[in-house]
């Protein structure tokens, strides 16, 4: 349920509604808006006795939220969420580029990548220190040492860090090193990890599970939001289908329904979505045209010798060409590349 307060509601009147909700054993989520405050309610297993709230001063309206996800829904919050990071905002009208290698491989390649991004005005870099690999014999990432390299790159270039959190064990270290915490496709329904991300003080990029429906994905986002972290960014990275011409099927058709059903921003990862670097630029441009709020994209100083996902990584020159094309397409679409 959503309690909509009158536009002139005083802080005391809002507090009274919050207290009444808590007295009912439920959790209030105040959402100050440009014209009025709304208060989302979660925690109920059955119907809420609306009369107890309707009679309180300055309550304007009570709206039942019909979707199973509440805090993630447009019904609960009509305005698009704009997420602030120290480097770049994520959410309309921005189109936010996050680029970098699949993995932290060594200090030199991370510094080179960060410097290249900074020189092109790109302020967020991705790179995994903890890597979820299909094979236990593949490179598993540099772990804590990788996080230290990322921290150094951030200190030296000012570029913000996006890095994956794979397990609760390393949550404190990843939260400390990251400007945005990535949760990967394989962990989309790792509920203990989602609950931990809900307690994090950093925004979370939640990738879509490789066979998750839109509702399952938004329910996963709901875990993080319900835990108290309002800063969730969705990321479409391709789903499993019968197609074998690409690594995954990049489901750009999910963007319009995400925008209709949720206020959360959505990024697209055309690298994991296609698995082949030649397919990355066209799908990146298509993501912008389809209404995505940005890209999570793999680039590498020497893709042919990358320790993971080289086949889908752009080299710096190809990335620069893509950036030019994105900037040209963004303007008529009313989007600003950040
Ligand atoms: C990644 O971003 O490097 C990654 C492992 O992504 P995904 O979880 O989408 O496979
Ligand atoms: Mn990768």
């Amino acid at each position: 349920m959503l309690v909509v307060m009158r536009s002139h509601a005083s802080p005391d009147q809002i507090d009274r509604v919050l207290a009444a909700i808590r007295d009912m054993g439920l959790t209030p989520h105040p959402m100050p808006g440009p014209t009025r405050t709304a208060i989302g309610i979660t925690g109920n297993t059955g119907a809420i006795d609306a009369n107890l709230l309707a009679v309180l001063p300055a309550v304007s309206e009570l709206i039942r939220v019909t979707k199973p996800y509440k805090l993630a829904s447009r019904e609960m919050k009509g305005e698009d969420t704009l997420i602030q990071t120290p480097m770049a905002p994520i959410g309309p009208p921005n189109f936010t580029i996050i680029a970098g290698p699949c993995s932290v491989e060594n200090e030199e390649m991370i510094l080179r990548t960060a410097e290249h991004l900074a020189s092109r005005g790109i302020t967020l870099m991705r790179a995994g220190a903890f890597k979820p690999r299909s094979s236990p014999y593949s490179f598993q990432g540099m772990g804590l040492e990788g996080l230290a390299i990322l921290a150094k790159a951030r200190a030296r270039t000012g570029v913000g860090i996006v890095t994956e959190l794979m397990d609760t064990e390393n949550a404190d270290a990843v939260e400390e090193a990251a400007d945005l915490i990535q949760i990967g496709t394989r962990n989309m329904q790792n509920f203990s990890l989602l609950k931990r991300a809900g307690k994090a003080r950093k925004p979370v990029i939640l990738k879509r599970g490789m066979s998750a429906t839109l509702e399952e994905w938004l329910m996963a986002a709901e875990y993080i939001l319900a835990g108290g972290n309002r800063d969730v960014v969705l990321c479409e990275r391709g789903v499993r289908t019968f197609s074998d011409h690409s690594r995954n099927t990049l489901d750009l058709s999910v963007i319009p329904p995400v925008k209709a059903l949720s206020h959360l921003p959505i990024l697209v990862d055309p690298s994991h979505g296609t698995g082949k670097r030649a397919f990355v630029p066209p799908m990146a441009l298509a993501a912008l045209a389809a209404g995505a709020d940005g890209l999570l994209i793999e680039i590498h100083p020497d893709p042919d010798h990358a320790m993971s996902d080289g086949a889908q990584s752009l080299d710096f020159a190809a990335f620069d060409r893509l950036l030019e094309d994105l900037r040209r397409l963004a303007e008529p679409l009313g989007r600003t590349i950040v």
Side-chain angles (χ1 to χ4, degrees):
M1 174 156 315
L2 183 68
V3 183
V4 182
M5 301 299 293
R6 291 190 205 283
S7 54
H8 63 258
S10 68
D12 280 354
Q13 288 170 325
I14 292 170
D15 283 347
R16 207 163 146 197
V17 175
L18 298 180
I21 294 168
R22 282 191 204 100
D23 287 348
M24 294 160 87
L26 305 174
T27 311
H29 303 267
M31 293 179 275
T35 54
R36 83 285 182 277
T37 290
I39 303 164
I41 305 177
T42 59
N44 54 305
T45 45
I48 296 171
D49 185 356
N51 292 327
L52 294 174
L53 300 172
V55 296
L56 295 176
V59 169
S60 155
E61 212 187 338
L62 295 169
I63 300 173
R64 209 169 84 83
V65 178
T66 56
K67 296 288 188 296
Y69 43 88
K70 307 292 177 190
L71 302 173
S73 76
R74 267 283 174 215
E75 292 175 285
M76 196 83 113
K77 181 168 181 272
E79 311 89 52
D80 288 319
T81 287
L82 182 69
I83 287 165
Q84 299 293 349
T85 75
M87 292 79 195
I90 304 180
N94 308 288
F95 189 79
T96 308
I97 314 275
I98 304 170
C102 181
S103 309
V104 181
E105 298 174 7
N106 56 60
E107 183 175 315
E108 193 259 348
M109 60 85 76
I110 286 295
L111 289 177
R112 270 180 70 191
T113 307
E115 274 156 15
H116 185 76
L117 292 173
S119 75
R120 297 298 183 269
I122 302 299
T123 55
L124 290 169
M125 177 171 73
R126 59 145 295 147
F130 296 95
K131 293 305 302 179
R133 303 305 302 279
S134 300
S135 165
Y137 308 119
S138 301
F139 174 55
Q140 303 287 308
M142 290 182 75
L144 296 175
E145 201 187 333
L147 294 181
I149 291 174
L150 291 172
K152 191 162 177 180
R154 186 185 194 275
R156 189 167 301 179
T157 64
V159 159
I161 300 300
V162 175
T163 197
E164 179 161 352
L165 173 62
M166 269 180 55
D167 45 46
T168 50
E169 193 184 324
N170 290 300
D172 292 345
V174 170
E175 184 178 353
E176 172 72 28
D179 292 287
L180 290 109
I181 300 166
Q182 177 176 328
I183 294 194
T185 191
R186 294 161 189 80
N187 272 317
M188 190 205 81
Q189 284 189 317
N190 179 338
F191 298 115
S192 47
L193 192 64
L194 297 177
K195 285 179 185 166
R196 175 60 185 81
K199 298 278 164 262
R201 289 160 290 98
K202 301 280 174 70
V204 175
I205 296 177
L206 178 65
K207 288 192 154 195
R208 180 184 182 182
M210 61 180 85
S211 58
T213 64
L214 174 49
E215 186 167 302
E216 288 165 339
W217 190 14
L218 293 176
M219 291 306 290
E222 188 78 13
Y223 265 89
I224 303 171
L225 296 164
N229 190 342
R230 296 279 175 89
D231 293 338
V232 178
V233 184
L234 303 168
C235 179
E236 161 61 33
R237 50 78 70 198
V239 292
R240 282 280 170 91
T241 69
F242 52 83
S243 288
D244 57 4
H245 61 270
S246 58
R247 181 176 178 181
N248 290 292
T249 297
L250 187 64
D251 184 13
L252 294 183
S253 78
V254 84
I255 298 169
V258 161
K259 288 289 175 188
L261 295 171
S262 179
H263 53 86
L264 298 173
I266 174 170
L267 304 178
V268 167
D269 173 349
S271 310
H272 293 86
T274 62
K276 293 180 186 155
R277 73 177 73 117
F279 304 163
V280 168
M283 297 316 286
L285 291 161
L288 168 58
D293 298 306
L295 297 172
L296 187 69
I297 188 165
E298 287 186 339
I299 68 169
H300 192 285
D302 182 9
D304 290 335
H305 295 98
M307 293 175 79
S308 59
D309 286 348
Q312 66 193 34
S313 299
L314 300 181
D315 62 21
F316 293 172
F319 176 65
D320 287 353
R321 287 194 294 276
L322 172 60
L323 260 185
E324 268 178 44
D325 289 344
L326 286 166
R327 290 203 162 104
R328 273 208 301 275
L329 182 61
E331 202 194 319
L333 293 172
R335 305 298 299 253
T336 311
I337 305 278
V338 294

